Amino acid sequence: MANSVTLTDLGDALELVARGKVRDLYAIDSETLLFVATDRISAYDTVMNNGIPGKGVILTLLSAHWISILSNAIPNLETHFLSLNIPAHVPEKYHEQLRDRCMQVRRLYVFPIEAIVRGYMTGSAWKEYQTRGTVHGIKMPPGLQESQKLPSGVMYTPSTKAEAGGNDENIHPERAAEIVGERYAKRIEELAIRLYCVAKEYALERGIIIADTKFEFGLDAKTDEVVLVDEVITPDSSRFWPASSYAVGLPQHSFDKQYLRDWLTREGLKGKHGIDIPVEIVRNTSTKYQDAYTILVGRPPLASLGKPNA
C-alpha cells in the first residue's frame, strides 16, 4: 500500500497559516492561499493517527470537478478556486508532497457555520429524530424511517464550525442567522440548497444518491458577495449511497467515510483520540473513495494513487 501524506512541510518556501483536520494552509500572498489536502482523516471530530493513501488527491480533484459542474449550472456562482497549479516560486524539492493535492484559492473571510443540506433521514438527523422528533430543532412529521427521503425533499440544517479540537454543534437555521446575520444567512441557505439540488441530479444520473453534504462559504469584502469555499461534495463532506441498493428503513452501503465511522462505533472508539486504523479498514476506505471518484467523474483517479487513468 502506498504511503500516505499526513503532514506537509514547505520549509521557508511558503508561510504555514494553519493546519485543519485535513488541510494544511499556506500563504502565497496577501490575497491568495494554498490549500493542501493531506491524507489525514477525521471522524466524529477526531483525527486518526494514520491516513488514507491518496485521499487528499481525490478530495482536491473531485472538488475541482464539482466546482466546474456547479459553475456551469449556476452562472453567477462565486467560488474561491483559482488554480490547481503548484505556485511557481515553490522549489521543486517540495513538489512531490503537493502534486495533485493542492489548490490555489482566494483569501477570504469564512463564515463560522457549516451549511449542511440533507435529502434523506440519516446520520445525526436520524439520531435526533428518534429521540426528539426533530431535525436540528425543526419539528418533523411522525413515522419517518431511517434513510427515508425527507418529506420536503431537501432541508437546510446548519451547524457551528468548531475550532481545532472542538466539536461541531447542530443548530437551528434561526441560530445560524444570529451568528452570521440574517442577510448572509438567507443567501447561504438559498445557495447551499441550490448547489445540493444541482449536484443531487448530476450524481443520481450516475447512480449515486447524495444523502447529505456540507458546504462552507466565505465573503468577498470588496463585492459583499457570498462565495463557495473549502472542499465541495467529497466523500469527506457527504454521504454517497449507491442508488441500485437503496432501501428505506435500513442503513445504506456507501462510498464515503461512514464505513470508518461504523468501524469506530463497533469497536467502542467513537470520539476517542490516538486511534490507529487497521490496514484492512484503511484499504477498504481508500477503495470507497476511489469508487466515488470514478463513478462521479467518469474515470479512475490519477496514477498517483497507483491506478492509471482509463
Side-chain angles (χ1 to χ4, degrees), residues 3-8 36-40 52-54 96-97 101:
N3 292 330
S4 59
V5 176
T6 55
L7 196 67
T8 61
V36 185
T38 72
D39 296 332
R40 297 193 294 267
I52 308 297
E96 187 61 31
Q97 59 183 306
R101 63 172 71 244

Side-chain angles (χ1 to χ4, degrees), residues 71-233:
S71 295
N72 286 333
I74 306 173
N76 62 344
L77 177 65
E78 292 278 344
T79 81
H80 72 161
F81 176 74
L82 296 173
S83 168
L84 290 174
N85 296 331
I86 297 172
H89 59 284
V90 172
E92 190 171 347
K93 65 181 180 180
Y94 298 121
H95 286 199
E96 187 61 31
Q97 59 183 306
L98 297 177
R99 189 170 292 115
D100 299 323
R101 63 172 71 244
C102 72
M103 180 183 288
Q104 294 188 44
V105 301
R106 298 156 61 190
R107 194 169 189 166
L108 302 167
Y109 167 77
V110 177
F111 290 106
I113 62 169
E114 297 187 338
I116 301 167
V117 185
R118 305 179 187 273
Y120 293 78
M121 184 63 79
T122 187
S124 62
W126 171 239
K127 288 183 176 64
E128 180 183 333
Y129 177 75
Q130 287 178 288
T131 57
R132 303 178 191 168
T134 59
V135 171
H136 287 240
I138 301 168
K139 188 66 179 175
M140 300 295 290
L144 300 182
Q145 300 180 65
E146 183 175 9
S147 303
Q148 182 176 340
K149 192 170 184 178
L150 293 171
S152 60
V154 61
M155 282 184 71
Y156 172 67
T157 56
S159 76
T160 59
K161 184 173 170 58
E163 297 294 328
N167 296 322
D168 301 334
E169 177 189 350
N170 290 346
I171 56 175
H172 192 283
E174 290 178 358
R175 175 60 184 143
E178 292 173 359
I179 293 171
V180 303
E182 191 152 342
R183 181 165 61 92
Y184 294 128
K186 187 175 190 308
R187 176 62 176 148
I188 288 170
E189 178 175 352
E190 291 171 348
L191 191 50
I193 289 173
R194 189 173 180 192
L195 290 166
Y196 173 77
C197 290
V198 170
K200 179 183 68 171
E201 294 304 317
Y202 173 92
L204 195 56
E205 290 171 1
R206 288 153 182 81
I208 284 183
I209 293 170
I210 303 177
D212 56 38
T213 195
K214 175 204 73 169
F215 298 107
E216 294 193 36
F217 295 95
L219 180 68
D220 185 333
K222 295 177 182 176
T223 63
D224 202 38
E225 284 292 325
V226 172
V227 181
L228 178 64
V229 304
D230 205 61
E231 66 182 316
V232 182
I233 317 176

Side-chain angles (χ1 to χ4, degrees), residues 22 40-41 55 59 231 234-238 257 261 289:
V22 173
R40 297 193 294 267
I41 189 165
K55 170 178 169 284
L59 299 188
E231 66 182 316
T234 72
D236 263 15
S237 64
S238 316
K257 68 178 177 182
R261 294 190 194 101
Y289 276 56

Side-chain angles (χ1 to χ4, degrees), residues 17-25 40 42 44-47 112 114 160-169 216 273:
V17 175
R19 292 195 198 278
K21 291 171 186 169
V22 173
R23 285 164 186 77
D24 293 347
L25 277 63
R40 297 193 294 267
S42 69
Y44 301 118
D45 292 314
T46 302
V47 179
E114 297 187 338
T160 59
K161 184 173 170 58
E163 297 294 328
N167 296 322
D168 301 334
E169 177 189 350
E216 294 193 36
H273 296 270

